Amino acid sequence: MRLRCAEELLFRALMVLSTIAVLSGLLLIIAVITVKGAGALSLDMITRLPTGGYYLGKEGGLLNAIVGSLLLGLGATACAALLAIPVALYLQHDYAGRRRWANLVRMSLDLLWGIPSIVYGAFGFTIMLYLGLRASLLGGIIALTLVELPIMARAMEEVLRMVSVELREASYSVGATRWETMRAVVVRQALPGLLTAILLAFGRGIGDAASVLFTAGYTDHLPRSLLDPVASLPLAVFFQLGTPFPEVQQRAYAAAFLLLALVLLVSVCSRLLTRRLSRHAVK
Amino acid sequence: MSHIVVEGLSVRYNGQPALDNVSLEIPDRQITAVIGPSGCGKTTFLRCLNRLIDTMDQVRVSGRVLIDGADIFAPRANVISLRRKMGLLSQKPQVLPMSIYDNVAYGPRLHGVRRRRDLDGIVQRCLKMSSLWEEVHHRLRAPATGLSVGQQQRLCLARGLAVEPEALLCDEPTASLDPLSAQSVERLFVELKSRYTIVLVTHILRQAKRLADYVVFLYMGELVEHGPAERVFNNPRDERTRKYLEGVIS
Ligand SMILES: Nc1ncnc2c1ncn2[C@@H]1O[C@H](COP(=O)(O)OP(=O)(O)OP(=O)(O)O)[C@@H](O)[C@H]1O
Ligand SMILES: [Mg+2]
């Protein structure tokens, strides 16, 4: 009995310690970014484009990267969602989920998830060369869509699968088709989870530097069409950290802080949205 | 001819027989109780009647189920209109993730009722039939999940009634309800049987005795005995039925 109590205590201590480690890691990252970047944070930074000597420490801002990241992130997330939702629905037991090749699809998604994003960037770049496209917003969105798709599809599939068979049967039993059941019952019930999946993918996408390096390029201007190159925050961090000037490096941390704030903002907004939307969900 | 006729129905899960060559006619506009010990195939039998069995893994169904003379397992049979004809009430109430109103209007909307006034009428009529109207008419727009379990089960009944079924298939519909709610559901069945054929799976013998007009006794996938309730309860012909009724096997 003493042994069992000791065991209980030991493992609970382990759990608490691990949780604390994770939390303090997060806090530490935020603290470092804030402390190091705070000096460079200013209104200019989020409202102005970089001027000629910005990367040497002169004045200007990172509006180009902020807008660019938002366009890339939102665009890719929208494209990925358009593909991931049908895939996730198709992988449900009501459709192909039971067949052997559904497992093949799941496995390929898991594999795609593991591919480093620089490879997606290189892949996208090859395709763009083949099509005669330059580095552009469109190219960046395509590469990021590839990065986000496996995460989103897999997360969505898991979330949809949580909707109970009995609930689906309740819909079938009044004469609903599979699609009607999916649309009106399964998706509706899984909505909070689906939004979380989208958010997860958005967070991954907007923070990714490697895949947009070749495909979206970098520029000091705002894009005027899908075919213009576009800047992004992760690359702004990357380029500025690589300079020898301390003030510019400080701006890199400020850019990282902005990225973090952006993800947080989107996250909070969609949580609020979910709460409204899931008013009817069956617990 | 009665409208549900089962001929040589067998079901296997993964090769394991769950129903073996069941043949019977289910009388119209009466309550037919399907009884038998746990695992004897009651749920399986019920799920054949609206072909929900199709949605399960690794099942083989053979034999025929004729509804209004047409085999529901025929390749050309229309599952949608079949399920519409055969309402389902499950053991645990399954309300849809929407408002009370939308739960009842769900079926009619799918089947093409669009006009607001028509829907309002259907919702009111069905909620009244399942004696829920008085309790919920002032909060039709509230989430259905806010209802008590007993109310939820009556809402599920209303949802089933809203598509104008011909039969109601009920799988232990009172199993998760408190005694009072169970009583009110039972009372509803008695009211509804003048208009619907009711197939009631139950493992509560007393419930079967209270409600049934006709009794079907299954034992290990085999149809052991079926007949008018009076006769089966007072005068079982088969030894196994007698033992089950006496509570020797359960
Ligand atoms: N999905 C399934 N896969 C494999 N075997 C199953 C499945 N569902 C039911 N069975 C088996 O089929 C037999 C009949 O099951 P069924 O659910 O019809 O019994 P039941 O009479 O409804 O039992 P209970 O009173 O416990 O609900 C049982 O032996 C059961 O183990
Ligand atoms: Mg059962």
Side-chain angles (χ1 to χ4, degrees), chain A residues 93 98 164-167 169-178 180-181 183-186 188-189 279-283, chain B residues 47 50 52 55-57 80 83-84 86-88 94-99 106-107 110-111 141-143 145 159-160 163:
Chain A
H93 273 197
R98 268 188 270 262
S164 74
V165 178
E166 290 81 14
L167 193 61
E169 287 177 352
S171 167
Y172 290 132
S173 72
V174 290
T177 61
R178 287 183 290 187
E180 286 159 349
T181 303
R183 177 173 53 81
V185 177
V186 178
R188 203 192 274 223
Q189 172 72 8
R279 203 164 71 92
H280 290 295
V282 182
K283 303 267 166 20
Chain B
R47 292 171 69 92
N50 65 357
L52 260 188
T55 63
M56 298 171 81
D57 282 331
I80 304 292
R83 295 203 179 129
R84 189 177 166 178
M86 315 293 282
L88 177 78
Q94 299 289 341
V95 297
L96 303 175
M98 42 188 90
S99 70
Y106 181 70
L110 293 180
H111 299 300
R141 296 285 156 199
T145 43
R159 180 182 65 211
V163 293

Coordinates of all heavy atoms in Angstrom, one line a residue, chain A residues 93 98 164-167 169-178 180-181 183-186 188-189 279-283, chain B residues 47 50 52 55-57 80 83-84 86-88 94-99 106-107 110-111 141-143 145 159-160 163:
Chain A
H93 N -16.3 7.1 -41.8 CA -16.8 5.8 -42.0 C -18.0 5.7 -42.9 O -18.3 4.8 -43.6 CB -17.1 5.1 -40.7 CG -16.0 4.4 -40.1 ND1 -16.0 3.5 -39.1 CD2 -14.6 4.5 -40.4 CE1 -14.8 3.0 -38.8 NE2 -14.0 3.7 -39.5
R98 N -13.9 3.0 -44.2 CA -13.6 1.6 -43.9 C -12.7 0.9 -44.9 O -12.2 -0.1 -44.6 CB -15.0 0.9 -43.9 CG -15.7 0.9 -42.6 CD -16.9 0.0 -42.8 NE -18.0 0.8 -43.3 CZ -18.9 1.2 -42.4 NH1 -18.8 0.9 -41.2 NH2 -19.9 1.9 -42.9
S164 N -20.5 11.0 -32.7 CA -20.9 9.6 -32.4 C -21.7 9.0 -33.6 O -22.5 9.7 -34.3 CB -21.7 9.4 -31.1 OG -23.0 9.9 -31.3
V165 N -21.6 7.7 -33.7 CA -22.3 6.9 -34.7 C -23.8 7.1 -34.5 O -24.6 7.2 -35.4 CB -21.9 5.4 -34.7 CG1 -22.7 4.6 -35.7 CG2 -20.5 5.3 -34.9
E166 N -24.2 7.1 -33.2 CA -25.6 7.1 -32.9 C -26.3 8.4 -33.4 O -27.4 8.5 -33.8 CB -25.9 7.0 -31.3 CG -25.6 5.6 -30.8 CD -24.1 5.4 -30.5 OE1 -23.3 6.4 -30.6 OE2 -23.7 4.2 -30.4
L167 N -25.5 9.5 -33.2 CA -26.0 10.8 -33.7 C -26.2 10.8 -35.2 O -27.2 11.3 -35.7 CB -25.0 11.9 -33.3 CG -25.6 13.3 -33.4 CD1 -26.8 13.5 -32.5 CD2 -24.5 14.3 -33.0
E169 N -26.8 8.2 -36.9 CA -27.9 7.3 -37.2 C -29.2 8.0 -37.0 O -30.2 7.7 -37.7 CB -27.8 6.0 -36.4 CG -26.7 5.1 -36.9 CD -26.5 3.9 -36.1 OE1 -27.2 3.8 -35.0 OE2 -25.8 3.0 -36.5
A170 N -29.3 8.9 -36.0 CA -30.5 9.6 -35.8 C -30.9 10.4 -37.0 O -32.1 10.5 -37.4 CB -30.3 10.6 -34.6
S171 N -29.9 11.0 -37.7 CA -30.1 11.7 -38.9 C -30.5 10.8 -40.1 O -31.5 11.0 -40.8 CB -28.9 12.5 -39.3 OG -29.0 13.0 -40.6
Y172 N -29.8 9.7 -40.2 CA -30.2 8.7 -41.3 C -31.6 8.2 -41.1 O -32.3 8.0 -42.0 CB -29.2 7.5 -41.3 CG -27.8 7.9 -41.7 CD1 -26.7 7.4 -41.0 CD2 -27.6 8.6 -42.9 CE1 -25.4 7.7 -41.4 CE2 -26.4 8.9 -43.3 CZ -25.3 8.5 -42.6 OH -24.0 8.8 -43.0
S173 N -32.0 8.0 -39.8 CA -33.3 7.4 -39.6 C -34.5 8.2 -39.9 O -35.6 7.7 -39.9 CB -33.4 6.9 -38.1 OG -33.5 8.0 -37.3
V174 N -34.3 9.5 -40.2 CA -35.4 10.3 -40.7 C -35.3 10.5 -42.2 O -36.0 11.3 -42.9 CB -35.6 11.7 -40.1 CG1 -36.1 11.5 -38.7 CG2 -34.3 12.5 -40.2
G175 N -34.4 9.7 -42.8 CA -34.3 9.7 -44.3 C -33.3 10.7 -44.9 O -33.5 11.2 -46.0
A176 N -32.3 11.1 -44.1 CA -31.3 12.0 -44.6 C -30.2 11.2 -45.4 O -30.0 10.0 -45.1 CB -30.6 12.7 -43.5
T177 N -29.7 11.8 -46.4 CA -28.6 11.2 -47.2 C -27.3 11.4 -46.4 O -27.3 12.1 -45.4 CB -28.4 11.8 -48.6 OG1 -28.1 13.2 -48.4 CG2 -29.7 11.7 -49.4
R178 N -26.2 10.8 -46.9 CA -25.0 10.9 -46.2 C -24.5 12.4 -46.2 O -24.1 12.9 -45.2 CB -23.9 10.0 -46.8 CG -24.1 8.6 -46.5 CD -23.0 7.7 -47.1 NE -23.1 7.7 -48.5 CZ -22.3 6.9 -49.3 NH1 -21.5 6.1 -48.7 NH2 -22.5 6.9 -50.6
E180 N -26.3 15.1 -46.5 CA -27.1 15.9 -45.6 C -26.8 15.7 -44.1 O -26.7 16.6 -43.3 CB -28.6 15.6 -45.8 CG -29.2 16.1 -47.1 CD -30.4 15.4 -47.6 OE1 -30.8 14.3 -47.0 OE2 -31.0 15.9 -48.5
T181 N -26.5 14.4 -43.8 CA -26.1 14.1 -42.4 C -24.7 14.8 -42.1 O -24.6 15.4 -41.0 CB -25.9 12.6 -42.3 OG1 -27.2 12.0 -42.6 CG2 -25.5 12.2 -40.8
R183 N -23.4 17.5 -43.5 CA -23.5 19.0 -43.5 C -24.3 19.5 -42.3 O -23.8 20.3 -41.6 CB -24.3 19.4 -44.8 CG -24.6 20.8 -44.9 CD -25.2 21.1 -46.3 NE -26.3 20.3 -46.6 CZ -27.6 20.6 -46.2 NH1 -27.8 21.6 -45.4 NH2 -28.6 19.8 -46.5
A184 N -25.4 18.8 -42.0 CA -26.3 19.4 -41.0 C -26.0 18.9 -39.6 O -26.3 19.6 -38.6 CB -27.8 19.1 -41.3
V185 N -25.4 17.7 -39.5 CA -25.2 17.2 -38.1 C -23.7 17.0 -37.8 O -23.2 17.6 -36.8 CB -25.9 15.8 -38.0 CG1 -25.6 15.2 -36.7 CG2 -27.4 16.0 -38.3
V186 N -23.0 16.3 -38.6 CA -21.6 16.0 -38.3 C -20.7 17.3 -38.2 O -20.1 17.5 -37.2 CB -21.0 14.9 -39.2 CG1 -19.6 14.7 -38.9 CG2 -21.8 13.7 -39.1
R188 N -21.7 20.3 -38.1 CA -22.2 21.3 -37.1 C -21.7 20.9 -35.7 O -21.3 21.7 -34.9 CB -23.7 21.3 -37.2 CG -24.2 22.6 -36.6 CD -25.7 22.5 -36.4 NE -26.4 22.8 -37.6 CZ -27.5 23.6 -37.6 NH1 -28.0 24.1 -36.4 NH2 -28.2 23.8 -38.7
Q189 N -21.8 19.6 -35.4 CA -21.4 19.1 -34.1 C -19.9 19.3 -33.9 O -19.4 19.6 -32.8 CB -21.8 17.7 -34.0 CG -21.3 17.0 -32.7 CD -22.0 17.4 -31.5 OE1 -23.0 18.2 -31.5 NE2 -21.5 17.0 -30.3
R279 N -23.3 26.8 -29.9 CA -24.3 27.0 -28.9 C -25.2 25.7 -28.8 O -25.7 25.3 -27.7 CB -25.2 28.1 -29.3 CG -26.0 28.8 -28.2 CD -26.5 30.1 -28.7 NE -27.5 30.0 -29.7 CZ -28.8 30.0 -29.4 NH1 -29.2 30.1 -28.2 NH2 -29.7 29.8 -30.4
H280 N -25.4 25.1 -30.0 CA -26.3 23.9 -30.0 C -25.6 22.6 -29.9 O -26.3 21.6 -29.8 CB -27.0 24.0 -31.3 CG -28.0 25.1 -31.5 ND1 -29.1 25.2 -30.7 CD2 -28.1 26.2 -32.3 CE1 -29.8 26.3 -31.0 NE2 -29.2 26.9 -31.9
A281 N -24.3 22.6 -29.8 CA -23.6 21.3 -29.9 C -24.1 20.3 -28.8 O -24.3 20.8 -27.7 CB -22.1 21.5 -29.9
V282 N -24.1 19.0 -29.1 CA -24.5 18.0 -28.1 C -23.2 17.7 -27.3 O -22.2 17.4 -27.9 CB -25.0 16.8 -28.8 CG1 -25.4 15.7 -27.8 CG2 -26.1 17.1 -29.7
K283 N -23.4 17.8 -26.0 CA -22.2 17.6 -25.2 C -22.0 16.0 -25.0 O -22.9 15.3 -24.9 CB -22.3 18.2 -23.8 CG -22.5 19.7 -23.9 CD -21.3 20.5 -23.9 CE -21.5 22.0 -24.3 NZ -22.8 22.5 -24.3
Chain B
R47 N -32.6 -3.3 -36.6 CA -31.8 -2.5 -37.6 C -31.9 -3.0 -39.0 O -31.5 -2.3 -39.9 CB -30.3 -2.5 -37.1 CG -30.1 -1.7 -35.9 CD -28.6 -1.9 -35.4 NE -27.7 -1.3 -36.3 CZ -27.2 -0.1 -36.1 NH1 -27.6 0.6 -35.0 NH2 -26.4 0.4 -36.9
N50 N -35.0 -1.0 -40.9 CA -34.8 0.2 -41.6 C -33.4 0.3 -42.3 O -33.0 1.3 -42.7 CB -35.0 1.4 -40.7 CG -33.9 1.5 -39.6 OD1 -33.1 0.6 -39.5 ND2 -34.0 2.5 -38.8
L52 N -30.5 0.2 -41.3 CA -29.4 0.8 -40.6 C -28.3 -0.2 -40.5 O -27.1 0.2 -40.3 CB -29.8 1.4 -39.2 CG -30.1 2.8 -39.1 CD1 -30.2 3.2 -37.7 CD2 -29.0 3.7 -39.8
T55 N -25.0 0.2 -42.4 CA -23.9 1.1 -42.1 C -22.8 0.4 -41.3 O -21.8 1.0 -40.9 CB -24.4 2.3 -41.3 OG1 -25.0 1.8 -40.0 CG2 -25.5 3.1 -42.0
M56 N -23.1 -0.9 -40.9 CA -22.1 -1.5 -40.1 C -21.1 -2.3 -40.8 O -21.3 -2.7 -42.0 CB -22.9 -2.4 -39.1 CG -23.8 -1.6 -38.2 SD -24.9 -2.7 -37.2 CE -23.8 -3.1 -35.9
D57 N -20.0 -2.6 -40.1 CA -18.9 -3.3 -40.8 C -19.2 -4.8 -40.9 O -19.8 -5.4 -40.0 CB -17.6 -3.2 -39.9 CG -17.0 -1.9 -40.0 OD1 -17.1 -1.3 -41.1 OD2 -16.3 -1.4 -39.1
I80 N -33.7 5.8 -48.6 CA -34.2 7.0 -48.1 C -35.7 7.0 -47.7 O -36.1 7.3 -46.6 CB -34.0 8.2 -49.1 CG1 -32.5 8.3 -49.4 CG2 -34.5 9.5 -48.5 CD1 -31.6 8.7 -48.3
R83 N -36.3 4.5 -44.8 CA -36.1 5.1 -43.5 C -37.1 6.1 -43.1 O -37.4 6.3 -41.9 CB -34.6 5.6 -43.4 CG -33.6 4.5 -43.7 CD -32.3 4.9 -43.1 NE -31.3 3.8 -43.3 CZ -30.2 3.9 -43.9 NH1 -29.7 5.1 -44.2 NH2 -29.4 2.9 -44.1
R84 N -37.6 6.8 -44.0 CA -38.6 7.7 -43.8 C -39.9 7.0 -43.2 O -40.6 7.6 -42.4 CB -38.9 8.5 -45.0 CG -39.8 9.7 -44.8 CD -40.0 10.4 -46.1 NE -41.1 11.3 -45.9 CZ -41.5 12.2 -46.8 NH1 -40.9 12.2 -47.9 NH2 -42.5 12.9 -46.5
M86 N -39.9 4.2 -41.7 CA -39.7 3.4 -40.4 C -39.0 4.4 -39.4 O -37.8 4.4 -39.4 CB -38.8 2.2 -40.7 CG -39.2 1.4 -41.9 SD -40.8 0.6 -41.7 CE -40.4 -0.8 -40.7
G87 N -39.7 5.0 -38.6 CA -39.1 5.9 -37.6 C -38.3 5.1 -36.6 O -38.6 4.0 -36.3
L88 N -37.3 5.8 -36.0 CA -36.4 5.1 -35.1 C -36.3 5.8 -33.8 O -36.2 7.0 -33.7 CB -35.0 4.9 -35.7 CG -34.0 4.2 -34.7 CD1 -34.2 2.7 -34.7 CD2 -32.6 4.6 -35.1
Q94 N -31.0 10.8 -28.9 CA -30.0 11.5 -29.7 C -30.6 12.7 -30.3 O -31.1 12.7 -31.4 CB -29.5 10.5 -30.8 CG -28.9 9.2 -30.4 CD -27.6 9.5 -29.7 OE1 -26.9 10.5 -29.9 NE2 -27.1 8.5 -28.9
V95 N -30.5 13.8 -29.6 CA -31.0 15.1 -30.2 C -29.9 15.6 -31.1 O -28.7 15.4 -30.9 CB -31.4 16.1 -29.2 CG1 -32.5 15.7 -28.3 CG2 -30.2 16.5 -28.3
L96 N -30.3 16.3 -32.2 CA -29.4 16.8 -33.2 C -28.9 18.2 -32.6 O -29.6 18.8 -31.8 CB -30.1 17.0 -34.5 CG -30.7 15.8 -35.1 CD1 -31.5 16.1 -36.4 CD2 -29.6 14.7 -35.4
P97 N -27.7 18.5 -33.0 CA -27.1 19.8 -32.5 C -27.7 21.0 -33.1 O -27.1 21.8 -33.8 CB -25.6 19.7 -32.9 CG -25.6 18.8 -34.1 CD -26.7 17.8 -33.9
M98 N -29.0 21.2 -32.7 CA -29.7 22.4 -33.2 C -30.8 22.7 -32.3 O -31.0 22.1 -31.3 CB -30.2 22.2 -34.7 CG -30.8 20.8 -34.9 SD -31.1 20.5 -36.6 CE -29.6 19.7 -37.2
S99 N -31.7 23.7 -32.6 CA -32.7 24.1 -31.7 C -33.8 23.0 -31.6 O -33.9 22.1 -32.5 CB -33.3 25.4 -32.1 OG -34.0 25.3 -33.3
Y106 N -36.2 19.1 -39.0 CA -35.1 18.6 -39.7 C -35.6 17.7 -40.9 O -35.2 17.9 -42.0 CB -34.2 17.8 -38.8 CG -33.0 17.2 -39.4 CD1 -31.9 18.0 -39.9 CD2 -32.8 15.8 -39.5 CE1 -30.8 17.5 -40.4 CE2 -31.7 15.3 -40.1 CZ -30.7 16.1 -40.6 OH -29.6 15.5 -41.1
G107 N -36.3 16.7 -40.5 CA -36.8 15.7 -41.5 C -37.7 16.4 -42.6 O -37.4 16.2 -43.8
L110 N -35.7 18.3 -45.1 CA -35.0 17.5 -46.0 C -35.9 16.9 -47.1 O -35.5 16.8 -48.3 CB -34.4 16.2 -45.3 CG -33.3 16.5 -44.3 CD1 -32.8 15.2 -43.7 CD2 -32.1 17.2 -45.0
H111 N -37.1 16.7 -46.8 CA -38.0 16.1 -47.7 C -38.8 17.2 -48.5 O -39.8 16.9 -49.1 CB -39.0 15.1 -47.1 CG -38.2 14.0 -46.4 ND1 -37.4 13.1 -47.2 CD2 -38.1 13.6 -45.1 CE1 -36.8 12.2 -46.4 NE2 -37.2 12.5 -45.1
R141 N -36.8 28.0 -29.8 CA -35.5 28.4 -30.4 C -34.3 28.0 -29.6 O -33.2 28.2 -29.9 CB -35.5 29.9 -30.7 CG -36.5 30.3 -31.7 CD -36.0 29.9 -33.1 NE -37.2 29.8 -34.0 CZ -37.2 29.1 -35.2 NH1 -36.1 28.5 -35.6 NH2 -38.2 29.1 -35.9
A142 N -34.6 27.5 -28.4 CA -33.5 27.1 -27.5 C -32.8 25.8 -27.9 O -33.4 25.0 -28.6 CB -34.0 27.0 -26.1
P143 N -31.5 25.6 -27.6 CA -30.9 24.4 -28.0 C -31.6 23.2 -27.4 O -32.0 23.2 -26.2 CB -29.5 24.5 -27.3 CG -29.3 26.0 -27.0 CD -30.7 26.5 -26.8
T145 N -30.3 20.5 -26.5 CA -29.5 19.9 -25.5 C -29.9 20.4 -24.1 O -29.5 19.8 -23.1 CB -28.0 20.1 -25.7 OG1 -27.9 21.5 -26.1 CG2 -27.5 19.3 -26.8
R159 N -39.5 14.2 -33.6 CA -38.7 14.3 -34.8 C -39.0 13.1 -35.8 O -39.1 13.3 -37.0 CB -37.2 14.3 -34.5 CG -36.3 14.4 -35.7 CD -34.8 14.3 -35.2 NE -34.5 13.0 -34.7 CZ -33.6 12.8 -33.8 NH1 -32.9 13.8 -33.2 NH2 -33.3 11.6 -33.3
G160 N -39.1 11.9 -35.2 CA -39.5 10.8 -36.1 C -40.9 10.9 -36.7 O -41.1 10.6 -37.8
V163 N -41.8 13.1 -40.1 CA -41.6 12.7 -41.5 C -42.7 11.7 -41.9 O -42.7 11.1 -42.9 CB -40.3 12.1 -41.8 CG1 -39.2 13.2 -41.7 CG2 -40.0 10.9 -40.9

